[in-house]
Amino acid sequence: MSQPTSRGSRKLAVGLAATGALLLTAVVAAATPASGATDSAEGTDVCESFRAAGDNFAEYCIAGEAADGVTAAADTIPGVDEIASSANIRQIANVPKFGGFASEGAYNSDLAFQGNYVFAGNYEGFNVFDVSDPTSPEVVSQVVCSGSQGDPSVFGNLLFLAVDAPRSNDSCSSTSASSALESSWEGIRIFDISDKANPRYIKSVRTDCGSHTQTLVPSKDGKSVYVYIQSYGPSNGAFYCKPPHDKISIVKVPLDNPTSAAVVATPVLFPGTNGAGSTSGCHDITAYPALDLAAGACMGDGVLFDISDRENPVILSQVRDTNFAFWHSATFNNAGTKVVFTDELGGGSSAICTSNYRANQGADAIYDITGSGADRELVFKGYFKIPRLNTTLENCVAHNGSLIPAMGRDIMVQAWYQGGISVIDFTDSANPVEIAYWERGPLSDTRRILGGAWSTYYHNGYIYSNDIQKGLDVLKLDDPRTNNARAIAFSELNVQTQPNYPACTTVLSGRQNGSMNVTSGVTCLDGATVNGAIKVAPGAGLIAFNSTLNGSLHAAGASVVSIVESRVNGSVDAIGATIRDSKVTGAVRTS
C-alpha cells in the first residue's frame, strides 16, 4: 500500500512535568500562536510552512501538484471567499476567530457538545459557545492554553483537551520544548466546566507520544470514564516516545475524584509484525459503547475492536487498502453494521481534490461488519469522494464527520477542509450518494493557506462546523430525507464516543386511517396523519415527527415514545415519553 514517510524526530517541544499549581488563562486575550503554524507568507515552501503545526501537515504534505486542477475547474470553483452550495443547505451563522485564536497560525480543530453549548477546540485552547439560538451563537468563554491540536471531549462537568506538542510543562503558560528532555510534557489536560463562563484547569496526565486525539468510553458501572489516547510518530531521540509504539494509552478518571486520573493500561494493538509498516499507533478511535465496539483508524490499518473489557480492547478484524495512504478517522452507522473510514492522503495540507487525483484517493471507504461475536469482520463495499474539483491552492481531503439520525437511513455529514461540507447517504454501502454540499472558495488565489472545515457535525437539528481560519459556522439542512432527524436529541455529544438512538423498524408517512397497535420494534411517523387511537405495547416504541395524531396515545413500558414538532388531538398516557415542540389538546401523563 502507499505508505507515508516517517515522521522522523518529533520536532515540537515537550514541556516540564507539572510540579505545582496548574495555570489557566480563561479570558479572551490576544496571544502569539504557540503551537500552530506561524502566519505563512508568499514564497515560503508550501509544506515547510506547516512545520510548526505539529500535526502531520508538513510530514505528509504533497508539494508538487501541477496547476492542471486549477484550469480544469476554473468555471465551477467559487472565487476567494465566495460560497457555493446545494439548494437544501444554507449558512445561518458564523463566529470569526477572535482573541487569542485570531491569528492564521491558531488553527481551529475539533468540536464537542453539551445541551446548548458547543466546545470548539483550537491549537491555542478552546472556546465555549451558547447556541440556544443557533442563528446567533454567543461567546461564553475562551480558554487560552496552548498545545496542538486541542481536540476537546466533554463528560458531565469535565472537559478533556488533547495535547500533542511537547511542552516545557503542563501549565497553560508553557512553551515549546525538546522531545528529548525527560522534563518534557504532553498528554491530556482536564478542566472542570461546571461554570461554563470560568472553566477551571484541575489535572494533567502525561502519555507516551502525547495525545493526538482522544476518545471517551464510560465505564460499565457508571463510576468512571476511560480516555483512550491515540498518538503516533515515535522517534529514537524522544524521551517518552520511542519506537515501537503500536499501542494506545488508557486513562481512567474516577468521576468522584477526577484529579486522581491516571494511565491504567497501555495495550499493544499490533505486537510483532501484525501492524502495517506505517502503523505506529492510531490516529483516531471511535467507540460505540452501547455495542461494546470501537473502530480504529490506525495509520496503515483499519481495525474493529471489542471493548467489552474497557481496559483491554481486543482486535476482531484488521484490514488494509492499497488505495489508502493514512487511515484517519471512523464513523459507525447507528445499527453498528457499517464503518466509514477516511483517508487523509497528503496529511490534510495538500490539494487532493484536483484533477490530478483519482476519485478514490483521499476519500472515504465504507465497510460492512459481517459475522457475529468474535467472528465479526470488516468487508469493503465502496468509496466516496466529493464530486467537485478544487484549485491546487486549497487543502482538501476526507476529514471529520458524524451521523445525522435520519429515520431508516444511514446519512452523515462530513468536513473536507477547503473542499467544504458534504452530506452523504450511505444506506447502500456500495453506492454512497451526496445529497447536499456547502463550500467556500479558496482562502487565497496566490498561496496555499491551511484552512477549511476541520470538523463538521450534526447536533440537535443543526450542522456545526469548525473552520480552521473562518471560525464557527452553523448551517441548516432542509431536506425531506433528513428533517426527521430533529426527532432525536442528545444532551451530550462527543462524536468519537458514538451514541445510539432508537432505530426505526417501520417508517410511515401520509394518511393512516383507523387505530394503530405497535406491538414490537419502533414505528416512526414522518409527516403522517393517524386517524385513530394509538397503543404502544411494552418494549415497543413510537416516534412521531411533523405528524398529526387524531386520537389518544397510550403506552405502558414502551422502549421509547417521542413526539416532536407534532400535534395530538387527544390525550397522552405514556410514562417517560418526550414531548417537544408539539401541541396536545387532551390530558398528558408522562411521569
Side-chain angles (χ1 to χ4, degrees), residues 311-330:
E311 297 182 17
N312 183 34
V314 176
I315 292 178
L316 296 172
S317 182
Q318 186 175 340
V319 293
R320 298 176 193 165
D321 184 342
T322 56
N323 183 65
F324 259 41
F326 189 92
W327 295 71
H328 176 274
S329 54

Side-chain angles (χ1 to χ4, degrees), residues 33-365:
S35 54
T38 55
D39 292 1
S40 56
E42 186 174 359
T44 302
D45 177 87
V46 169
C47 291
E48 282 303 309
S49 69
F50 304 129
R51 176 68 59 187
D55 201 343
N56 45 337
F57 295 132
E59 284 76 5
Y60 303 152
C61 176
I62 301 170
E65 293 96 347
D68 297 349
V70 177
T71 303
D75 295 333
T76 58
I77 297 175
V80 173
D81 282 347
E82 290 181 355
I83 290 175
S85 73
S86 54
N88 56 353
I89 191 171
R90 61 187 176 91
Q91 181 189 45
I92 61 172
N94 170 262
V95 182
K97 295 199 301 182
F98 62 92
F101 307 164
S103 71
E104 182 181 302
Y107 301 153
N108 276 338
S109 58
D110 208 3
L111 296 169
F113 305 88
Q114 197 173 76
N116 288 323
Y117 293 98
V118 176
F119 302 86
N122 183 282
Y123 273 49
E124 303 302 320
F126 64 93
N127 289 321
V128 182
F129 296 100
D130 184 334
V131 292
S132 301
D133 178 0
T135 67
S136 183
E138 296 183 358
V139 177
V140 177
S141 58
Q142 180 176 91
V143 174
V144 178
C145 196
S146 296
S148 69
Q149 54 188 22
D151 283 6
S153 296
V154 293
F155 193 90
N157 288 330
L158 301 176
L159 180 143
F160 302 86
L161 199 67
V163 180
D164 190 36
R167 308 296 297 173
S168 58
N169 56 56
D170 64 347
S171 74
C172 289
S173 60
S174 65
T175 58
S176 296
S178 169
S179 62
L181 297 176
E182 183 179 3
S183 57
S184 62
W185 182 89
E186 56 183 329
I188 58 165
R189 293 168 171 148
I190 304 176
F191 294 80
D192 183 323
I193 53 169
S194 52
D195 180 356
K196 304 293 190 295
N198 295 284
R200 187 167 56 89
Y201 184 8
I202 61 171
K203 176 68 175 179
S204 71
V205 180
R206 176 194 279 118
T207 55
D208 290 347
C209 298
S211 175
H212 192 72
T213 59
Q214 38 95 357
T215 303
L216 302 187
V217 185
S219 66
K220 292 191 174 185
D221 63 9
K223 296 180 179 180
S224 303
V225 63
Y226 290 96
V227 189
Y228 286 12
I229 304 294
Q230 292 83 236
S231 56
Y232 58 93
S235 168
N236 286 321
F239 193 90
Y240 294 105
C241 187
K242 294 183 182 297
H245 185 70
D246 288 345
K247 65 181 182 180
I248 62 172
S249 297
I250 299 179
V251 175
K252 185 176 183 179
V253 185
L255 296 177
D256 61 355
N257 185 21
T259 57
S260 66
V263 175
V264 293
T266 53
V268 175
L269 305 180
F270 310 108
T273 59
N274 290 340
S278 60
T279 299
S280 58
C282 292
H283 182 278
D284 215 325
I285 291 177
T286 294
Y288 200 153
L291 298 182
D292 285 336
L293 287 176
C298 298
M299 302 179 69
D301 299 72
V303 186
L304 183 69
F305 299 99
D306 181 327
I307 58 169
S308 300
D309 180 347
R310 299 294 196 242
E311 297 182 17
N312 183 34
V314 176
I315 292 178
L316 296 172
S317 182
Q318 186 175 340
V319 293
R320 298 176 193 165
D321 184 342
T322 56
N323 183 65
F324 259 41
F326 189 92
W327 295 71
H328 176 274
S329 54
T331 302
F332 287 97
N333 68 337
N334 185 54
T337 58
K338 303 175 186 177
V339 182
V340 179
F341 288 104
T342 65
D343 175 20
E344 196 182 43
L345 172 63
S349 59
S350 299
I352 307 301
C353 301
T354 70
S355 58
N356 300 308
Y357 294 92
R358 300 189 307 273
N360 58 0
Q361 286 186 292
D364 297 334

Side-chain angles (χ1 to χ4, degrees), residues 538-578:
L542 177 76
I543 298 175
F545 172 78
N546 188 32
S547 294
T548 301
L549 282 57
N550 293 317
S552 62
L553 169 61
H554 177 79
S559 62
V560 60
V561 174
S562 181
I563 303 169
V564 179
E565 297 182 32
S566 295
R567 181 182 180 92
V568 182
N569 295 315
S571 61
V572 174
D573 184 6
I575 303 300
T578 296

